[in-house]
Amino acid sequence: MNQEQTYLLGEQAVVLDLNCARLDDAQQNRLFALHRHLQQLKVGSDIVVGKTSITLVLKNPAHCSTWQERLLTLWEELSATDFQPTTHTIPVIYGKQAGPDLLPLAAQLDLSPQDIVELHSSPIYQVKFLGFLPGFAYLGTVPQQLQVARLDSPRTQVPAGSVAIAEDLSAIYPSGSPGGWRLLGHSSTRLFDAQAQSPCLLQPGDNVKFVPQKEGLC
Amino acid sequence: MLEIIKPGVQMCIQDLGRFGYRHLGVTQSGVLDPMAMKIANTLLGNPLDTAVLEITVGLSQLRFHQPTNFAVTGGDLNARLDDCALTPGWRYFAKSGQVLRFASSPSALRAYVSVEGGFNLHPVMGSDSTDLQAGFGGIEGKALSAADQLSYKACEEKQSVGALQPPYQSHIRVLPGPHCKHLNHSTEQLLCSQQWQVSADSNRMGMRLNTSAPISHQVAINSQAVLPGTIQLPPNGAPIVLLNDCQTTGGYPMIAQVISADLRHFAQLAAGVQVSFSLATQVLAHQETQKQQHHLNQLRIALTHRDRSFS
């Protein structure tokens, strides 16, 4: 049983907190359905999905108490089938310079490099939420066999386009940045362009399929 | 055109911020002191959200290449126009070739400069603000450097005028955060019952606070949306007050939220300064925001009368 609740964050934001360790697929899609529904209502200046929550920053703070109740009602009313995700295919060159952590990881997990590629590219991932950098999507879920901790010491510079994993999540670095995730490959897909009409390729709830390219390991 | 001769520690273009993209990991950016920005724009008859220059620490020089009215607001960084000392909260006229200098001050950290009609900029994702980390907005996504130029339209001289700005404080009012219940119940009291010292490790992303009695813990929460003004408590027990350039989500417990009206004070808190907190209510928070709105309205009305009597 979830003990979902709503509360105010400051004067202008209302949070629906599902108060659980993780969401199952149905709850996750219900949360994305709620996100999309709120976007269409245009009542929020920002609406941000978290791991087990959604935060609605209202344009008009006078409506906060109304929305504390309305968010709970909407959560009750919406269902997982109200959300239809877009699926993106992302070509990836695995291994060598494109993925410097792939071989050491194979050795650490006692798997072949091809196993790593197979394991990483087999699931359809979902964008759980974005953060850290503009367009940085947290993708779940990495197969159990491939779940490993972050590097002990983060790299000072991870190149843009790096396809990486950490614990149960995968990601593609939209821009160069310091980072502690394990780099398995590289994608040339443009993820974020501030000047574009639609700046961000991946939206909360979208699906992502990685496709190994023959230029790398596959 | 306004030429940057010397940018000083940090000078950047900011407006009220970038809204509507936090779900994509895009930070708000924007001035740390919205009140100072709105006062500057009110003094010049600009729309309140017109982008301004945010000057941190000072030690900077700018040259006007066309005549314009400009306003200097925010902290008193001992600004001068050529040899004439300027008062923050006032509007002045600059002739072509005049140089605006900011020294520095032990008691202030940020000043704001606006020109009549605003600078000619190219908004990115609905805002002129510079996103310094992601590298877009403002002028090529960067803090300004020597020889950078900002274009604006020349205008005719107006009478110099100004008013006292609302004072800055180091006592900050907060609303309770959602995660105190996961920590020790006395967390809010612990936050409010001691003096905190601003760490040198502070910037536009956040202000770290030190004390001899940190509120250490071992609680993690699921990552959720954070906002400017959110006070996070990492396990080391030294709170971080998130500011405009903060990330969009965080996994540290959120123990309090600074009331909107008090966020401007963080623009002036330098490393080593003592800060204290007290708990406020939603009602008080709204009243304080209204007070600021009234201040701006009164200033606008007073200026309208004065400018009319001079013309």
Side-chain angles (χ1 to χ4, degrees):
Chain A
M1 263 308 278
N2 285 321
Q3 297 293 312
E4 65 263 16
Q5 57 160 173
T6 56
Y7 51 79
L8 303 181
L9 177 63
E11 298 139 75
Q12 218 158 336
V14 187
V15 182
L16 170 70
D17 191 334
L18 301 174
N19 272 327
C20 54
R22 64 190 69 244
L23 303 179
D24 61 32
D25 286 351
Q27 290 170 316
Q28 184 73 71
N29 284 313
R30 230 166 111 195
L31 193 63
F32 292 131
L34 178 58
H35 182 241
R36 208 165 267 183
H37 183 80
L38 292 171
Q39 280 181 319
Q40 283 159 2
L41 292 179
K42 299 189 188 301
V43 291
S45 63
D46 275 292
I47 309 153
V48 186
V49 175
K51 197 172 171 197
T52 51
S53 66
I54 191 162
T55 300
L56 168 65
V57 186
L58 287 162
K59 288 178 182 166
N60 185 348
H63 297 161
C64 271
S65 52
T66 319
W67 273 99
Q68 265 193 279
E69 291 198 16
R70 254 190 103 182
L71 276 184
L72 284 170
T73 315
L74 281 171
W75 174 250
E76 285 302 316
E77 287 171 2
L78 289 164
S79 73
T81 50
D82 292 322
F83 180 73
Q84 299 301 324
T86 307
T87 299
H88 305 271
T89 302
I90 309 279
V92 180
I93 295 173
Y94 282 96
K96 299 208 178 131
Q97 297 97 318
D101 293 328
L102 195 145
L103 286 182
L105 184 65
Q108 181 190 329
L109 298 178
D110 202 15
L111 294 166
S112 76
Q114 283 75 18
D115 288 339
I116 303 270
V117 174
E118 169 69 22
L119 278 167
H120 183 257
S121 61
S122 57
I124 289 177
Y125 294 89
Q126 186 172 38
V127 177
K128 302 294 183 187
F129 58 95
L130 296 99
F132 177 49
L133 299 168
F136 187 99
Y138 292 86
L139 304 169
T141 307
V142 169
Q144 192 112 39
Q145 273 178 281
L146 206 53
Q147 294 183 10
V148 282
R150 287 169 172 76
L151 295 171
D152 288 337
S153 172
R155 286 184 170 84
T156 51
Q157 188 63 20
V158 173
S162 295
V163 175
I165 54 170
E167 289 162 7
D168 60 341
L169 296 168
S170 187
I172 315 159
Y173 281 75
S175 53
S177 141
W181 293 38
R182 313 246 186 170
L183 312 185
L184 301 186
H186 186 271
S187 155
S188 51
T189 304
R190 185 84 184 247
L191 295 169
F192 187 85
D193 178 0
Q195 311 291 340
Q197 185 75 37
S198 176
C200 191
L201 180 70
L202 304 177
Q203 302 288 317
D206 281 0
N207 285 337
V208 169
K209 180 86 180 103
F210 292 116
V211 180
Q213 300 297 290
K214 60 178 185 304
E215 292 86 341
L217 285 166
C218 53
Chain B
M1 182 255 281
L2 184 66
E3 177 196 352
I4 317 301
I5 303 170
K6 220 172 105 184
V9 171
Q10 189 180 70
M11 184 186 286
C12 56
I13 298 278
Q14 299 292 346
D15 59 14
L16 289 175
R18 195 165 274 114
F19 297 93
Y21 298 96
R22 287 187 85 75
H23 64 293
L24 304 175
V26 178
T27 61
Q28 180 179 314
S29 310
V31 287
L32 289 187
D33 186 345
M35 193 64 183
M37 168 178 154
K38 290 176 186 172
I39 290 171
N41 284 325
T42 302
L43 286 166
L44 297 165
N46 291 341
L48 289 186
D49 59 355
T50 306
V52 298
L53 275 180
E54 182 177 273
I55 294 164
T56 303
V57 176
L59 309 172
S60 43
Q61 289 180 28
L62 304 147
R63 181 180 283 120
F64 294 96
H65 284 268
Q66 281 144 314
T68 185
N69 298 295
F70 68 99
V72 176
T73 60
D76 189 353
L77 298 179
N78 297 300
R80 305 181 80 84
L81 183 67
D82 289 344
D83 293 328
C84 177
L86 309 182
T87 306
W90 279 66
R91 160 181 101 194
Y92 299 95
F93 178 71
K95 289 182 237 169
S96 179
Q98 285 198 291
V99 175
L100 173 63
R101 288 182 176 80
F102 289 86
S104 64
S105 162
S107 57
L109 192 57
R110 287 187 177 85
Y112 294 85
V113 175
S114 183
V115 295
E116 185 174 340
F119 300 110
N120 182 17
L121 298 163
H122 306 285
V124 175
M125 297 165 76
S127 166
D128 287 326
S129 283
T130 316
D131 187 327
L132 294 163
Q133 299 149 83
F136 56 81
I139 303 293
E140 292 173 0
K142 291 186 200 131
L144 296 168
S145 48
D148 277 350
Q149 301 176 349
L150 298 167
S151 78
Y152 59 86
K153 282 203 183 91
C155 54
E156 292 188 357
E157 180 168 3
K158 280 184 179 159
Q159 183 84 17
S160 189
V161 65
L164 266 184
Q165 301 181 105
Y168 293 104
Q169 296 165 13
S170 58
H171 180 77
I172 306 294
R173 291 158 298 178
V174 299
L175 295 164
H179 301 131
C180 286
K181 60 178 187 290
H182 301 303
L183 301 157
N184 190 315
H185 280 293
S186 60
T187 304
E188 280 158 8
Q189 278 73 35
L190 289 172
L191 178 72
C192 295
S193 63
Q194 56 181 314
Q195 290 280 326
W196 300 88
Q197 192 177 43
V198 175
S199 157
D201 197 11
S202 299
N203 53 30
R204 283 182 43 89
M205 287 179 75
M207 184 168 287
R208 289 169 186 265
L209 302 174
N210 295 324
T211 170
S212 52
I215 321 171
S216 311
H217 68 87
Q218 292 188 318
V219 176
I221 56 150
N222 281 341
S223 283
Q224 76 175 68
V226 294
L227 298 169
T230 300
I231 304 185
Q232 291 186 320
L233 190 68
N236 71 6
I240 303 172
V241 183
L242 298 180
L243 300 176
N244 291 55
D245 287 358
C246 71
Q247 68 277 21
T248 53
T249 58
Y252 293 135
M254 295 146 67
I255 58 167
Q257 180 77 26
V258 176
I259 68 167
S260 303
D262 280 0
L263 263 176
R264 61 188 281 267
H265 302 310
F266 289 94
Q268 306 302 342
L269 298 174
V273 167
Q274 302 279 320
V275 185
S276 60
F277 297 96
S278 64
L279 277 183
T281 60
Q282 288 282 342
V283 173
L284 179 102
H286 287 298
Q287 281 170 353
E288 292 301 302
T289 301
Q290 290 248 300
K291 259 194 218 168
Q292 292 189 341
Q293 191 55 51
H294 289 156
H295 179 98
L296 289 169
N297 289 345
Q298 281 186 333
L299 181 63
R300 198 188 65 244
I301 292 163
L303 287 167
T304 309
H305 285 297
R306 192 185 161 93
D307 286 345
R308 208 176 275 154
S309 63
F310 277 110
S311 56

